[in-house]
């Protein structure tokens, strides 16, 4: 058979030679030599260009909007996830009194600061808590006549129902001596130990259901409640605008550095501003910290687009004093400034003045009767609260704990009369009782003390 017939015609390559080319097509087209047509074609090209740009912008807008909707949906999904988590945990209600917890892990976060992971000794699930709340611990030391009661904020978000975490910094008293409980935690408490803990409480917490933009501001160990708030915001991928300011001296004090960076990665809405007041030479600006200063209202004014945020603050006394008053001066309404003090030194920053507070002269005429002790004394209006007044007069029947309305140790029954609160109680005492550490008398009183 001739080989020609075996060829598949579709596969036969077409060999182009100069003979296939029409020489006319190599000449310039007469269209491009007419200026009117060139202008016309240019106009059409411009029009197409404009339409293409508009289309591209619309497509980008659409892509952006869909991305945003996806993020919002994801955030909603995360919120539902969190609510489900809470709902699952709901059957485990908070307990009354003290419950035994095992120290499952002890981790050094930075110099003199340790985190303690606590699991319930009975192995049962834990109730959820609100980010910002604290636990109350009781220690019975052989050399102390009374148990020592201290509060420590939960530094984790309320994500886990198997453990709680608190983070404790060694406290040094004004005279240089070590604080009893914080140093006991740092030096003595070890993994496997058992501690007595009251259920989470406190009114300083972030409302996770709200979508108002927030500014979390903390100094030193005051980071603990803010960290719990930031963790919940990150975990739920909360779409609201979040600013996180943290101030410390330098990298030696910079606790939770990696953890906070991880949270920011989880929730890009969170903008981090780390301030070092006294950086080491090796502390790199822009890497370890963003601002070489304290956290001040001037810095907030530089960084925040406006003052219209909800502010949460926790830190040392002077830090809170200047920031809280600075925010008020900046025009932030008092209802938008929420803060917590870690001890009596900062309680005075509470801007609350009791309504209709009697003047100093009439207050000094108020008689306080301590019924159990059998003492009748004239109230001293220069004293901060009923607990200090009792202690100053040798009355030892009122216990003291946190001294900021948190732990409930100083609860005392009122037999007659009324009090005015100068601070926010962690848990409302029952009718007919008061928390002596954050109360002043409102007229003559008889106390069961
Ligand atoms: C709501 C809340 C949350 C807290 N969260 C944390 C936290 O997350 N991490 C942390 O490290 N700390 C936290 N603290 C502080 C903590 O409770 C202790 O106050 C701190 O650890 C010092 O206790 P200490 O026993 O070591 O010191 P100590 O000096 O033995 O005791 C300090 C106690 O004495 C009281 N006190 C101090 N000075 C005086 C005085 N002049 N007169 C009378 N009483 C005084 C204080 O109120 C405090 O209760 C928190 C406090 C509160 C109220």
């Amino acid at each position: 058979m001739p080989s020609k017939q075996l060829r598949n015609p579709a596969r036969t390559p077409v060999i182009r030679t100069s003979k296939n080319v029409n020489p006319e097509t190599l000449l310039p087209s007469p269209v491009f030599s007419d200026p009117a047509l060139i202008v016309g074609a240019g106009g059409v090209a411009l029009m197409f260009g404009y339409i293409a740009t508009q289309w591209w912008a619309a497509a980008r807008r659409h892509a952006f909007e869909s991305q945003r909707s996806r993020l919002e949906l994801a955030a909603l999904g995360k919120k539902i996830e969190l609510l489900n988590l809470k709902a699952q945990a709901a059957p485990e209600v908070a307990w009354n009194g003290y419950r035994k917890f095992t120290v499952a892990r002890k981790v050094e976060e930075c110099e003199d600061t340790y985190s303690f992971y606590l699991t319930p000794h009975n192995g049962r699930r834990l109730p959820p808590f609100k980010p910002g709340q604290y636990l109350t611990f009781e220690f019975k030391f052989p050399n102390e006549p009374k148990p020592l009661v201290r509060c420590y904020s939960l530094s984790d978000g309320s994500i886990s129902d198997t453990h709680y975490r608190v983070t404790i910094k060694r406290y040094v008293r004004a005279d240089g001596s070590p604080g009893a409980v914080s140093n006991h935690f740092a030096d003595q408490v070890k993994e496997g130990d058992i501690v007595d803990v009251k259920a989470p409480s406190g009114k300083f917490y972030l409302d996770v259901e709200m979508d108002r933009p927030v500014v979390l501001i903390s100094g030193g160990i005051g980071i603990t409640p803010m960290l719990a708030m930031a963790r919940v915001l990150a975990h739920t991928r909360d779409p609201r605008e979040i600013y996180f300011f943290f101030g410390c001296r330098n990298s030696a004090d910079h606790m939770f550095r990696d953890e906070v960076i991880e949270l920011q990665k989880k929730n890009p809405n969170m903008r981090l501003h780390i301030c070092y007041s006294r950086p080491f030479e090796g502390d790199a600006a822009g890497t370890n910290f963003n601002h070489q200063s304290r956290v001040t209202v001037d810095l907030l004014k530089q960084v925040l687009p406006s003052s219209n945020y909800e502010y949460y603050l926790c830190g040392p006394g002077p830090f809170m004093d200047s920031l809280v008053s600075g925010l008020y001066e900046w025009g932030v309404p008092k209802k938008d400034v929420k803060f917590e003090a870690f001890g009596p030194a900062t309680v005075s920053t509470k801007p609350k003045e009791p309504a209709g507070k009697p003047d100093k002269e009439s207050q000094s005429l108020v008689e306080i009767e301590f019924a159990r002790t059998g003492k009748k004394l004239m109230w001293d209006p220069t004293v901060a609260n009923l607990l200090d007044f009792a202690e100053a007069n040798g009355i030892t029947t009122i216990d003291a704990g946190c001294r900021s309305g948190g732990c409930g140790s100083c609860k005392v029954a009122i037999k007659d009369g009324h009090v005015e609160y100068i601070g926010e109680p962690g848990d409302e005492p029952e009718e007919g009782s008061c928390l002596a550490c954050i109360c002043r008398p409102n007229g003559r009183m008889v106390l069961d003390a």
Side-chain angles (χ1 to χ4, degrees):
M1 212 188 275
S3 64
K4 212 172 138 191
Q5 283 175 355
L6 284 174
R7 277 213 195 127
N8 178 352
R11 286 182 160 207
T12 308
V14 177
I15 300 160
R16 289 194 182 274
T17 65
S18 57
K19 281 182 198 158
N20 301 103
V21 179
N22 178 359
E24 276 184 19
T25 59
L26 297 175
L27 293 173
S29 161
V31 168
F32 295 107
S33 55
D34 183 337
L37 284 172
I38 292 172
V39 170
V44 170
L46 270 176
M47 199 174 75
F48 274 116
Y50 174 76
I51 291 170
T53 320
Q54 289 298 307
W55 178 85
W56 187 72
R60 277 199 57 179
R61 258 201 312 276
H62 177 73
F64 177 75
E65 291 295 337
S66 342
Q67 167 83 346
R68 201 163 70 173
S69 312
R70 268 201 304 279
L71 278 176
E72 279 175 6
L73 265 176
L76 191 67
K78 286 286 166 186
K79 278 199 169 171
I80 292 168
E81 190 183 302
L82 183 68
L83 289 174
N84 282 342
L85 258 175
K86 284 184 176 173
Q88 283 163 20
E92 290 293 330
V93 288
W95 60 98
N96 286 322
Y98 288 96
R99 179 172 171 182
K100 303 275 178 207
F101 276 74
T102 307
V103 177
R105 266 177 81 202
K106 178 177 180 178
V107 177
E108 186 171 5
E109 300 291 357
C110 71
E111 215 168 52
D112 291 335
T113 305
Y114 299 85
S115 279
F116 298 86
Y117 292 77
L118 309 169
T119 52
H121 187 55
N122 62 9
R124 296 185 62 193
R125 273 162 47 199
L126 289 171
F129 62 92
K130 293 176 172 144
Q133 290 192 308
Y134 55 82
L135 296 177
T136 303
F137 293 75
E138 185 188 62
F139 284 92
K140 290 176 182 134
F141 294 139
N143 52 344
E144 291 284 345
K146 284 182 180 175
L148 297 185
V149 178
R150 301 286 183 267
C151 303
Y152 292 101
S153 301
L154 288 141
S155 57
D156 225 337
S158 60
I159 316 296
S160 160
D161 63 358
T162 56
H163 77 266
Y164 288 146
R165 181 181 75 176
V166 291
T167 306
I168 300 175
K169 186 179 171 71
R170 279 183 201 275
Y171 177 74
V172 182
R173 296 177 186 146
D175 64 2
S177 62
V181 173
S182 59
N183 285 275
H184 175 75
F185 264 109
D187 298 327
Q188 309 296 331
V189 176
K190 54 187 189 312
E191 290 176 5
D193 283 2
I194 291 185
V195 285
D196 293 313
V197 185
K198 266 195 194 173
S201 58
K203 293 204 174 131
F204 175 71
Y205 58 80
L206 178 82
D207 188 348
V208 285
E209 323 276 288
M210 294 269 286
D211 51 11
R212 184 102 198 271
V214 284
V215 183
L216 311 177
I217 308 172
S218 53
I221 190 64
I223 194 173
T224 48
M226 302 303 156
L227 193 56
M229 295 180 194
R231 286 184 69 87
V232 170
L233 289 168
H235 182 80
T236 55
R237 289 191 169 67
D238 198 305
R240 70 179 106 175
E241 215 182 333
I242 307 153
Y243 283 88
F244 190 113
F245 289 86
F246 171 65
C248 60
R249 280 176 307 178
N250 45 48
S251 50
D253 286 343
H254 192 166
M255 56 193 91
F256 299 114
R257 181 172 175 268
D258 296 342
E259 190 170 321
V260 172
I261 290 172
E262 277 307 307
L263 293 181
Q264 192 194 24
K265 283 186 194 153
K266 269 194 183 166
N267 189 339
N269 297 336
M270 189 168 100
R271 295 177 178 88
L272 259 186
H273 289 271
I274 306 296
C275 299
Y276 281 7
S277 57
R278 275 185 275 151
F280 293 133
E281 268 182 24
D283 288 341
T287 309
N288 296 59
F289 65 101
N290 310 98
H291 310 277
Q292 184 174 344
S293 73
R294 293 175 193 282
V295 185
T296 61
V297 171
D298 283 341
L299 178 67
L300 299 183
K301 286 179 182 170
Q302 280 168 35
V303 170
L304 301 175
S306 80
S307 62
N308 189 14
Y309 291 86
E310 205 166 55
Y311 297 81
Y312 291 83
L313 296 99
C314 189
F319 170 95
M320 301 258 284
D321 277 339
S322 70
L323 278 165
V324 171
S325 55
L327 286 172
Y328 294 156
E329 278 161 28
W330 194 15
V332 180
K334 289 189 176 176
K335 69 170 179 50
D336 290 343
V337 183
K338 295 164 186 176
F339 55 95
E340 179 156 83
F342 274 3
T346 53
V347 169
S348 61
T349 61
K350 295 243 177 209
K352 271 190 180 175
E353 271 301 304
K357 183 180 154 205
D359 61 33
K360 282 191 173 183
E361 206 170 307
S362 59
Q363 272 212 357
S364 65
L365 301 174
V366 167
E367 185 192 74
I368 313 293
E369 183 180 338
F370 292 89
R372 266 202 267 164
T373 328
K375 281 191 181 176
K376 287 183 184 175
L377 301 161
M378 296 315 281
W379 170 248
D380 175 356
T382 63
V383 175
N385 54 58
L386 275 171
L387 175 63
D388 285 1
F389 180 69
E391 286 178 348
N393 288 287
I395 290 151
T396 54
T397 46
I398 305 179
D399 286 343
C402 69
R403 293 178 183 270
S404 54
C407 70
S409 301
C410 62
K411 188 168 75 179
V412 58
I414 303 170
K415 295 186 94 170
D416 194 19
H418 299 280
V419 290
E420 290 164 331
Y421 275 90
I422 51 166
E424 193 77 47
D427 278 322
E428 226 53 72
E430 70 254 20
E431 190 77 31
S433 296
C434 71
L435 298 179
C437 74
I438 49 166
C439 278
R440 295 164 69 91
N442 187 3
R444 188 188 171 276
M445 294 196 72
V446 183
L447 291 170
D448 183 34

